[in-house]
Amino acid sequence: MKHRKRTITVNQIGYPLAAKKVAVFTEPNRSFQVINQAGKIVYKGELSTPLKDNNSGMIIRKGDFTELTKPGTYQVKSGSATSAWFEISEAPYQTLHHGLLKAFYLFRCGIDLEEKLAGPWKHSACHTAEGIVYGEPDRKLVSSGGWHDAGDYGKYTVAAAKAIADLLLAYDMYPDAFTRPIPIPETDNHTPDVLHECRYELAWLFKMQDNRSGGVFHKLTTLQFPGLDVMPEADKADLYFSPISATATASFAAIMAMAARVYKPFDAIFSENCLRAAQFADDWLAKNSNVAGFKNPPEISTGEYGDSQDIDERYWAMAELYRTTGDQQYHERFIQIAKQSFNKYELGWTDVGGYGTLAYLLHGQSNADDSLFESLKTGLIEEADKLVAQSNRDGYLISLQENQYIWGSNMLVMNHAMTLLFAYHFTGDTTFEASALEHLHYIIGRNVHDLSFVTGFGDHRVMNHHHRPSVADNVIEPVPGLVSGGPNKKLQDEYVKKHLQGRAPAQCFVDHQDSYSTNEVTIYWNSPTVFVVSHWVKPK
Ligand code: G3I
Ligand code: 9MR
Ligand code: ZN
């Protein structure tokens, strides 16, 4: 039965006990009530004055029920309108956290996903063949393993770097959120499963480094995308290592240096291997200081991840190599790069400067150049202040500006929440923490679509994302725990061009498998979401 979009939206999972609790109304109600499962009114409130919300195109009113702190299951009502049922509890996001993390196992390539761990989303090992080095048809290299990037089966170095960075940062900042087994094949109740899972991707990343030069191949894919109805194990086309790129090599150096640090207490040899690979990649960077941005070779039409600027990736690499080794040569190179003008706070796959800044700040002022440390810390807090100010103007309390409803806008929502949580970490200002949580409420249903953007979570959730296994597997429920890309006002696929002309930016989304520009999934849209949810996850 087709879902009738509700005019009262909430976080469809729920709210932490002591957190701010707001529902968003799109009808001209004046008052609202909250009822418990017995139908008893447990809270009454008045709605805010109406706000014309340009991003959603709606007239918005808000109902604040923060005072309701009794654990339970509730629904917001106003007249005949009702919200989804949701919980108020000490730790409402434990299961969500588990599902978001488990998704990385379900993205795995190169091994049988066994039924006892993957359930109905099991499949045989895929893409196990050697890859051909583009331009060297007789040079074949081992290539298997890692995570599929997204709704396609490509594997892309810069995308992998962001995904691993977010997960390792989540573990670094919130280790108590990772005390439970997922479980995965490597579960040993010693090393946290999130580290086992990232190591599965890191083990593949090692294969992306050219053992001759230290440079890193930009991606490993077939020449063209396979059909949408092709299961991974049925995708038998030749695999190609695309040419080395500076952005892949620098982000590889960064993530390997980060991994060397994080894994050292668990596996000193693996840690050493990561550091050596990072330094070998840095050798290539030092010899290739002026390189054109990656472009797909003419025969290859899979994802490009083009990026003409590699200064931010080099900045990130120096920060991580310095934080891991303490070697002043990296610090000096970091300071030199930092003098240049580029975005030092973004956490994207294109703009990764934020990771370099976080590595430098988390390394501590005692290890830093004082004035640079202060300037980067002040800059981060100023970024967070801007996000709060924008959120306060927004009908759905998030920080996306009109021109940020782009491909992967939900990644921006979660990246912004990460920035807010780091600003909270460095200042203790709970305004930042509270705003980060409002961003999670948007992803889990408090949006103009009354839709949870995470498969398997929420009573009205994404069901038809652009994800080949979910389309081809003849299982009704899509692979769970996957975060959809979200609204994209640029209408960049045939389906939305046909159906969404003239919509407000936040309305430019459709839960249809053909809409890869609004409804695909990727490892690096899941990873910032894992980071954000980890902030509210309690240890077992
Ligand atoms: O960066 C500009 C920004 O400055 C500008 O304001 C904005 C609005 O014009 O556009 C921004 O560029 C967009 C860019 O994503 C932002 O990162 C481009 O329009 C948009 O085309 C680009 O889309 C990327 C898409 O591939 C097409 O290249 C997505 O970020 C990226 O997530 C997506 O990645 C694909 C892989 O290629 C293949 N695997 C699936 C994956 C997800 O769809
Ligand atoms: O499935 C592909 C998805 O992973 C990419 O993000 C997207 C943009 O590169 O392309 C998708 O593949 C489509 C192709 O671009 C056009 N023909 C239909 C393909 C499947 O939707
Ligand atoms: Zn595969």
Side-chain angles (χ1 to χ4, degrees):
M1 184 181 74
K2 186 162 166 49
H3 174 78
R4 203 166 152 274
K5 202 155 73 168
R6 289 169 290 224
T7 60
I8 308 175
T9 53
V10 293
N11 179 320
Q12 294 179 15
I13 293 177
Y15 300 80
L17 284 185
K20 189 167 166 60
K21 305 172 193 79
V22 168
V24 172
F25 297 71
T26 53
E27 279 190 332
N29 319 66
R30 297 185 61 79
S31 61
F32 72 99
Q33 305 80 40
V34 181
I35 61 169
N36 64 17
Q37 282 180 299
K40 182 171 175 285
I41 294 175
V42 293
Y43 184 83
K44 289 182 180 178
E46 295 300 312
L47 293 183
S48 67
T49 50
L51 164 77
K52 185 170 180 340
D53 182 55
N54 294 326
N55 284 340
S56 64
M58 305 300 283
I59 304 287
I60 296 289
R61 290 169 177 81
K62 295 168 194 165
D64 189 326
F65 55 100
T66 301
E67 290 166 18
L68 181 56
T69 56
K70 184 169 183 288
T73 302
Y74 300 97
Q75 184 182 55
V76 178
K77 289 173 68 73
S78 183
S80 60
T82 57
S83 74
W85 286 94
F86 59 89
E87 68 171 271
I88 293 176
S89 70
E90 183 68 40
Y93 309 130
Q94 313 286 101
T95 311
L96 171 66
H97 189 255
H98 173 268
L100 291 164
L101 259 184
K102 178 71 174 280
F104 289 90
Y105 171 71
L106 298 170
F107 270 120
R108 285 194 188 188
C109 176
I111 59 163
D112 290 344
L113 295 197
E114 44 197 297
E115 183 157 10
K116 75 174 171 35
L117 294 175
W121 301 288
K122 65 185 187 295
H123 67 72
S124 313
C126 53
H127 305 102
T128 53
E130 290 185 322
I132 303 159
V133 176
Y134 179 82
E136 299 179 65
D138 298 331
R139 189 181 175 200
K140 294 189 176 182
L141 304 172
V142 288
S143 80
S144 69
W147 301 318
H148 296 134
D149 179 57
D152 66 310
Y153 300 134
K155 295 182 281 202
Y156 306 80
T157 303
V158 297
K162 171 175 169 57
I164 298 171
D166 294 337
L167 295 176
L168 296 188
L169 275 170
Y171 172 71
D172 196 25
M173 296 296 287
Y174 312 112
D176 287 352
F178 297 93
T179 54
R180 296 171 189 78
I182 293 178
I184 49 180
E186 300 83 0
T187 298
D188 59 11
N189 295 312
H190 167 64
T191 302
D193 276 358
V194 65
L195 298 189
H196 282 308
E197 190 56 53
C198 287
R199 183 163 174 169
Y200 189 78
E201 180 78 337
L202 287 161
W204 166 74
L205 263 180
F206 275 111
K207 299 172 184 174
M208 296 301 282
Q209 184 167 41
D210 174 21
N211 61 7
R212 297 174 183 169
S213 68
V216 178
F217 300 116
H218 192 76
K219 60 178 179 170
L220 176 74
T221 71
T222 49
L223 291 178
Q224 283 86 35
F225 289 121
L228 201 51
D229 58 352
V230 173
M231 282 298 286
E233 61 272 36
D235 181 23
K236 300 293 188 191
D238 286 342
L239 294 165
Y240 285 82
F241 291 95
S242 280
I244 289 167
S245 74
T247 51
T249 303
S251 52
F252 174 98
I255 202 64
M256 285 294 175
M258 189 182 195
R261 189 169 66 243
V262 174
Y263 286 85
K264 191 163 187 173
F266 299 97
D267 185 333
I269 292 171
F270 179 71
S271 163
E272 183 54 32
N273 291 341
C274 291
L275 179 56
R276 233 184 272 121
Q279 291 170 323
F280 191 26
D282 184 42
D283 292 348
W284 185 94
L285 292 172
K287 291 179 194 135
N288 296 271
S289 55
N290 189 5
V291 185
F294 177 82
K295 289 284 180 207
N296 267 340
E299 305 86 340
I300 300 182
S301 62
T302 52
E304 186 167 74
Y305 287 109
D307 179 1
S308 57
Q309 185 187 61
D310 59 44
I311 191 74
D312 51 320
E313 284 83 5
R314 293 174 190 258
Y315 170 81
W316 180 21
M318 290 308 108
E320 297 289 0
L321 278 162
Y322 175 47
R323 189 178 177 200
T324 295
T325 65
D327 186 331
Q328 285 305 323
Q329 65 143 321
Y330 300 120
H331 191 192
E332 282 144 27
R333 289 164 65 191
F334 177 81
I335 292 169
Q336 286 314 309
I337 295 173
K339 288 175 181 162
Q340 297 186 47
S341 169
F342 60 92
N343 189 307
K344 298 182 179 72
Y345 304 102
E346 287 279 350
L347 298 168
W349 64 262
T350 322
D351 298 322
V352 300
Y355 294 106
T357 297
L358 289 174
Y360 196 66
L361 294 179
L362 291 168
H363 192 189
Q365 187 145 14
S366 60
N367 297 304
D369 169 282
D370 256 350
S371 62
L372 179 55
F373 186 94
E374 281 305 327
S375 122
L376 290 173
K377 183 177 171 186
T378 304
L380 176 74
I381 295 161
E382 283 170 354
E383 286 299 307
D385 283 333
K386 284 182 217 161
L387 297 177
V388 169
Q390 177 64 29
S391 303
N392 290 340
R393 293 189 289 267
D394 186 78
Y396 286 90
L397 297 119
I398 62 165
S399 54
L400 288 191
Q401 299 179 41
E402 188 264 341
N403 65 358
Q404 291 180 310
Y405 285 90
I406 59 175
W407 194 320
S409 63
N410 282 345
M411 174 188 80
L412 285 182
V413 173
M414 288 290 93
N415 286 355
H416 289 181
M418 281 183 73
T419 300
L420 288 161
L421 287 172
F422 276 109
Y424 170 64
H425 172 76
F426 287 114
T427 63
D429 182 342
T430 54
T431 309
F432 295 132
E433 182 190 34
S435 183
L437 185 56
E438 305 295 0
H439 285 70
L440 181 60
H441 298 333
Y442 169 88
I443 298 293
I444 311 293
R446 199 180 67 191
N447 53 61
V448 72
H449 304 278
D450 176 27
L451 181 78
S452 165
F453 285 115
V454 185
T455 52
F457 291 89
D459 79 340
H460 178 229
R461 56 188 181 265
V462 171
M463 285 295 290
N464 308 292
H465 54 209
H466 183 86
H467 180 239
R468 282 171 174 75
S470 297
V471 171
D473 65 6
N474 297 319
V475 176
I476 300 286
E477 273 291 330
V479 171
L482 303 181
V483 180
S484 174
N488 171 5
K489 59 173 278 223
K490 294 176 76 177
L491 303 186
Q492 289 178 282
D493 65 64
E494 293 318 306
Y495 189 89
V496 293
K497 283 190 176 95
K498 187 172 169 201
H499 293 91
L500 298 187
Q501 292 295 340
R503 299 284 180 94
Q507 300 255 15
C508 291
F509 171 83
V510 61
D511 182 15
H512 192 283
Q513 66 183 40
D514 290 346
S515 181
Y516 49 78
S517 71
T518 73
N519 199 28
E520 191 160 5
V521 293
T522 77
I523 52 176
Y524 57 87
W525 297 339
N526 260 59
S527 57
T529 313
V530 169
F531 181 94
V532 171
V533 173
S534 298
H535 181 81
W536 283 277
V537 168
K538 306 287 181 214
K540 72 178 178 191

